[in-house]
Amino acid sequence: MPAFIRAISIRQPFAWAVVTGLKTIENRSLRFPRLLGPVLIHAGLTFARDVPDELFPDGHPELDGGGFVGIANIVGHVTDSDDPWFGGPLGLVMADARPLPFMPWKGQVGLFKVSVGALADWGREAGVSLAT
């Protein structure tokens, strides 16, 4: 079993949109590592300013920030796409996303590693294998 799992910090409400499967592309710079596989979704403390009105026509729900909110698989990378979520220059294509019980955790910019041992109890309680 690996000693870590990767995580990515995303501002709310976009973290929520990813873990619910609504948003299937996460935009990053071209310098972002082009890795594939499972990634924990960390909701940042800062709420995004550029939220499309159509995402929450009736207002947004209360959303947790400053911790893990789900998991997804990065299954590809695109530099061009007709997907309405693509804003470039690099799109991480997400699949098999699902929300998990909120776990407070300090995030980091970009992709970061988290010790599987530190999250073992949470992973078991959430019914998810953190083995990559």
Side-chain angles (χ1 to χ4, degrees):
M1 174 188 258
F4 66 88
I5 185 168
R6 288 183 170 84
I8 186 172
S9 193
I10 303 172
R11 288 182 178 174
Q12 288 288 31
F14 299 116
W16 170 86
V18 168
V19 301
T20 59
L22 178 66
K23 185 175 192 262
T24 56
I25 292 186
E26 171 60 17
N27 299 296
R28 296 291 158 149
S29 75
L30 288 173
R31 294 185 303 197
F32 195 83
R34 296 187 186 197
L35 302 169
L36 300 173
V39 62
L40 288 172
I41 306 300
H42 178 275
L45 284 172
T46 306
F47 199 87
R49 288 178 257 147
D50 54 349
V51 179
D53 292 335
E54 58 271 13
L55 184 57
F56 297 110
D58 300 320
H60 68 80
E62 288 294 318
L63 299 170
D64 290 314
F68 298 116
V69 294
I71 192 166
N73 279 310
I74 300 174
V75 297
H77 307 94
V78 295
T79 55
D80 186 38
S81 175
D82 292 332
D83 187 298
W85 289 107
F86 180 74
L90 177 69
L92 308 178
V93 181
M94 306 290 220
D96 307 316
R98 69 179 173 126
L100 296 173
F102 181 71
M103 169 68 160
W105 198 269
K106 184 175 169 53
Q108 298 177 29
V109 174
L111 197 65
F112 59 100
K113 295 178 182 179
V114 180
S115 165
V116 169
L119 297 175
D121 291 340
W122 174 72
R124 275 191 297 279
E125 291 171 14
V128 63
S129 170
L130 297 178
T132 57

